[in-house]
Amino acid sequence: MELLLGPILYAKDQLADDSKSQNTWSFFLNVFLGGTDPNQPLPLKLCFTDAQGEEVFSSQEARPAADFSWLPERSAGVVWRWEVVLSRQPQAQSLKYHFEVPGQPGAYSFTPPSTPDGKERSYQFPAQPLVIDHVVVPSVGTPPNIAFFSCNGAEDGKKWKRIPKFFALWEEMLEEHRRASGHFKKTPGFQLLIGGGDQLYADSLWSTMTELKQLRKQSNTLKQPVPQGFADRVMAEYVGLYRERWNGTEGIAPMLARVPGLFTWDDHDIFDGWGSHEDLQGTPWFKQIYSAAARAFEAFQLGRLAQPQTLREPDIQPWDSKHPRHYFQTLSLTSKDCDLDVVMLDLRSGRTSQSPDKGKVEHTVMSESQWKAFEDWKEARFLQKAKDPVPRAHHILVVSSVPVVHLRFSSTLERLAGGVSSMRDDMLDQWESLVHRGERTRLIMDLFSLAKHVNAAVTVLSGDVHVAARGRLRSRNPEHLTEAQAVTGEAIIEQVTSSAIGHNAPGPLEFLGMLTVSKDSIEDLPGFLQSELLPVGSDLYLRERNWLALRVEPSQLKQPKLWARWVAEESVLPMEVVVTPPRPLPPKEGH
């Protein structure tokens, strides 16, 4: 069996609705293997062992999660999935895992994989037993420690090798995961890895794939039929990119193999500027590209792919409420004193890519079906909380791949940029763009409504902009204020932006130019809302590569605080963003 990609861990809900689930930690584990048959049982057993070498979990129940056996040879294979359920102990545990062939004791040695271009790369995966260490199980009743990142790459694939110490921050994250840090006194390391978008950077396909290179040079090619076999070839190329970028002993791969992940996507997971090419995204060529990117995203970032040969379409009007095509996700992680929810917005599948017959274009960021899914989740979460016999504090992390609060470009500049495609799609990408202002206000209102509705502290996590930044949203709208907030007269939502872990930060002159043509002052918005940017360290922006560490610490006041800390490439930041949740409401009569 050839190990094409993996292992990769994926997060799943951890609910404290009974004693059994409170005492376990569970996730999914996937490997992409060549030389296996999805219709036959996989002859591998997954084994977890503790520090003493004692087996604490094993399973032979691997199931196919994505079948790519129909693709060309170098990309052909099957993604297999195990569900892992581990017991929690009074203290956090660091476990190892390996694979065995039943009846043959000892860790299995996979065949070293070849690269997608066919060249052997055995130095990354020597033919020796695969054993992964430092999978950390949190102690009983403890919320997970979280690492958040975005922008894992560069637009030009050739630049990856030229960026100095490209994997430096991944190495620092792995080192912090492996050691018992003072920031994580009770539980060392991380138990949740959140990707805020641009985990892949697929733009290089426009330079490496013959048909796309021709398409870039001659736009009239779009009028020609898509050649036979193109759909399978572009699908194989996206699979090949994940094999190339997510494999090996450096970069993202060691963290994927040790920490359960949860990922949303952004434009570079498709290609740069997806959603800002209205006239092109309706063409058969662009539809095939989007479909391949979406299926590869499902297989490797969501960890499951049903109907792999069925084309995917954007979630645009007219939409089918019974079969939505967005990737809105939620994750619930409850512990003894605190509920922690993660809401992953999908800001790409519902982007504008359709021009009505009258020639008007309605720019959207989220589809109506996703808005409805968000509302349905909010109502279901409220009803679930109402049934809890012991009320708990509540944090909600809302992941928006692009910041809700950031630089604002003038209307004049946006109009002038309309004729420059690279500038135009960069501006249209942002929530702050003029064409998205109404929907942005809707989102902000919805976040404040969510906070009050479920009595929670809402914090926004974002990426995309290649600098670290901190934003704050205020509401003086009486409809958003709890009784306690009515005393102060306002409700607050914090935003922390962490970008990028791999992509270079903008140069001094480039960033100065951006600041010259934009505003970052306090802004008053409709509905008694206000937004502002706050300093990260000594400035409003940290122009360095960075990632974010988050933890929830218990409190005797039953208000466990969320602490968010940037880890930068060069600077040591003494500051942390601290979010205090509202006090739990007393249980209602009858509960």
Side-chain angles (χ1 to χ4, degrees):
M1 284 176 281
E2 184 183 14
L3 181 60
L4 302 178
L5 178 61
I8 303 175
L9 310 187
Y10 297 92
K12 62 191 295 285
D13 288 337
Q14 312 286 320
L15 301 176
D17 54 356
D18 57 60
S19 58
K20 181 179 178 181
S21 59
Q22 289 183 46
N23 295 322
T24 59
W25 180 251
S26 59
F27 49 84
F28 295 107
L29 187 154
N30 289 16
V31 289
F32 184 28
L33 300 178
T36 62
D37 185 344
N39 298 311
Q40 297 294 327
L42 184 69
L44 279 182
K45 180 171 72 170
L46 172 65
C47 303
F48 279 77
T49 57
D50 61 17
Q52 289 73 42
E54 296 293 327
E55 185 177 287
V56 296
F57 173 85
S58 66
S59 173
Q60 292 180 232
E61 297 184 8
R63 302 180 184 278
D67 180 8
F68 288 122
S69 57
W70 52 278
L71 286 178
E73 184 177 351
R74 289 197 301 273
S75 297
V78 178
V79 178
W80 294 91
R81 162 177 280 201
W82 286 263
E83 183 176 10
V84 179
V85 181
L86 301 168
S87 296
R88 295 202 196 195
Q89 303 297 331
Q91 299 296 324
Q93 310 165 75
S94 181
L95 306 179
K96 295 181 180 181
Y97 68 87
H98 64 273
F99 301 88
E100 294 180 2
V101 174
Q104 300 179 20
Y108 181 75
S109 298
F110 289 97
T111 303
S114 59
T115 59
D117 60 10
K119 297 178 181 178
E120 294 296 326
R121 189 157 55 184
S122 58
Y123 65 87
Q124 283 197 329
F125 277 104
Q128 63 186 28
L130 178 64
V131 180
I132 304 296
D133 60 3
H134 286 90
V135 176
V136 180
V137 180
S139 57
V140 176
T142 304
N145 298 325
I146 302 170
F148 174 87
F149 73 97
S150 69
C151 303
N152 176 46
E155 290 86 347
D156 185 349
K158 297 178 181 179
K159 288 183 179 179
W160 285 50
K161 296 180 180 179
R162 298 200 294 267
I163 297 176
K165 298 181 179 179
F166 182 74
F167 297 127
L169 287 174
W170 283 115
E171 292 169 0
E172 189 164 357
M173 186 189 293
L174 180 61
E175 181 183 357
E176 184 161 327
H177 172 66
R178 280 177 161 159
R179 72 174 186 264
S181 168
H183 295 286
F184 305 124
K185 297 177 181 178
K186 190 171 183 180
T187 300
F190 300 102
Q191 296 81 47
L192 178 62
L193 179 68
I194 299 179
D198 294 341
Q199 280 78 242
L200 183 66
Y201 276 81
D203 311 283
S204 59
L205 293 184
W206 291 89
S207 301
T208 60
M209 195 172 179
T210 302
E211 291 98 332
L212 296 187
K213 285 195 290 185
Q214 187 70 18
L215 199 64
R216 172 176 278 180
K217 291 179 182 178
Q218 300 180 6
S219 58
N220 61 354
T221 306
L222 284 167
K223 300 178 182 179
Q224 300 175 8
V226 177
Q228 186 175 3
F230 174 75
D232 288 354
R233 288 194 294 275
V234 73
M235 184 75 247
E237 291 290 335
Y238 272 96
V239 172
L241 278 182
Y242 280 96
R243 287 191 56 206
E244 176 187 338
R245 306 283 169 77
W246 281 26
N247 238 331
T249 57
E250 297 181 301
I252 191 175
M255 291 300 295
L256 294 176
R258 289 168 172 83
V259 183
L262 182 68
F263 311 103
T264 189
W265 67 349
D266 206 29
D267 58 333
H268 291 286
D269 297 294
I270 310 167
F271 62 79
D272 185 20
W274 175 270
S276 304
H277 307 285
E278 306 95 320
D279 296 333
L280 302 178
Q281 287 170 196
T283 65
W285 286 87
F286 275 54
K287 286 182 177 180
Q288 296 279 10
I289 295 169
Y290 176 88
S291 176
R295 285 177 285 165
F297 170 76
E298 291 175 30
F300 299 116
Q301 298 204 44
L302 300 186
R304 57 193 183 278
L305 172 64
Q307 300 178 326
Q309 293 177 273
T310 301
L311 296 182
R312 303 300 194 263
E313 296 181 9
D315 198 32
I316 55 175
Q317 301 288 351
W319 57 274
D320 182 354
S321 60
K322 295 182 179 179
H323 301 94
R325 298 182 290 270
H326 58 76
Y327 298 115
F328 174 82
Q329 305 170 74
T330 62
L331 183 73
S332 293
L333 305 160
T334 58
S335 58
K336 180 180 178 182
D337 297 318
C338 186
D339 287 345
L340 175 63
D341 284 307
V342 185
V343 176
M344 307 287 280
L345 302 180
D346 170 7
L347 305 189
R348 289 298 157 182
S349 66
R351 287 270 180 164
T352 304
S353 57
Q354 185 180 43
S355 300
D357 295 337
K358 295 182 179 180
K360 295 181 180 180
V361 177
E362 181 183 0
H363 293 278
T364 57
V365 179
M366 290 167 54
S367 64
E368 283 301 321
S369 58
Q370 185 176 177
W371 281 106
K372 184 179 186 304
F374 196 0
E375 187 66 27
D376 289 346
W377 173 82
K378 182 171 68 173
E379 292 300 322
R381 195 67 183 92
F382 172 76
L383 293 175
Q384 185 179 12
K385 282 193 66 174
K387 296 177 182 178
D388 288 342
V390 180
R392 292 181 292 268
H394 196 175
H395 283 282
I396 300 177
L397 303 178
V398 176
V399 178
S400 171
S401 57
V402 295
V404 180
V405 183
H406 199 59
L407 291 171
R408 305 188 304 278
F409 295 104
S410 69
S411 57
T412 301
L413 182 64
E414 284 210 33
R415 293 190 185 97
L416 291 174
V420 183
S421 59
S422 60
M423 290 180 62
R424 180 176 183 272
D425 69 55
D426 283 343
M427 292 183 181
L428 286 181
D429 271 353
Q430 301 301 314
W431 274 117
E432 294 275 12
S433 173
L434 292 173
V435 298
H436 301 316
R437 281 307 188 80
E439 191 177 3
R440 174 179 176 248
T441 300
R442 177 183 179 180
L443 175 63
I444 296 171
M445 296 280 280
D446 214 48
L447 295 181
F448 278 111
S449 173
L450 170 65
K452 181 180 179 181
H453 192 67
V454 298
N455 193 47
V458 172
T459 303
V460 178
L461 306 181
S462 64
D464 180 71
V465 291
H466 303 162
V467 294
R470 179 185 178 187
R472 179 173 287 173
L473 295 164
R474 288 188 172 90
S475 175
R476 298 183 177 90
N477 190 323
E479 295 182 0
H480 299 155
L481 305 182
T482 63
E483 291 184 13
Q485 291 166 341
V487 177
T488 61
E490 66 178 11
I492 290 176
I493 290 176
E494 298 281 1
Q495 173 189 276
V496 283
T497 299
S498 177
S499 176
I501 196 168
H503 195 290
N504 271 346
L509 293 180
E510 178 188 359
F511 198 63
L512 179 61
M514 294 171 61
L515 294 177
T516 302
V517 296
S518 61
K519 296 180 180 179
D520 51 23
S521 56
I522 294 175
E523 181 184 24
D524 291 314
L525 300 169
F528 305 100
L529 304 175
Q530 190 180 76
S531 69
E532 67 174 317
L533 287 165
L534 300 174
V536 176
S538 60
D539 204 345
L540 286 182
Y541 310 97
L542 179 67
R543 203 171 45 80
E544 295 179 30
R545 296 192 297 180
N546 64 91
W547 57 276
L548 196 68
L550 302 106
R551 69 190 190 279
V552 175
E553 291 195 346
S555 167
Q556 294 181 349
L557 301 177
K558 292 188 177 182
Q559 291 177 283
K561 295 179 180 179
L562 174 73
W563 297 71
R565 167 177 55 91
W566 285 274
V567 180
E569 186 170 16
E570 299 174 3
S571 302
V572 177
L573 299 178
M575 65 163 290
E576 295 189 57
V577 177
V578 184
V579 180
T580 303
R583 291 180 182 274
L585 297 175
K588 296 181 179 180
E589 294 184 7
H591 293 285

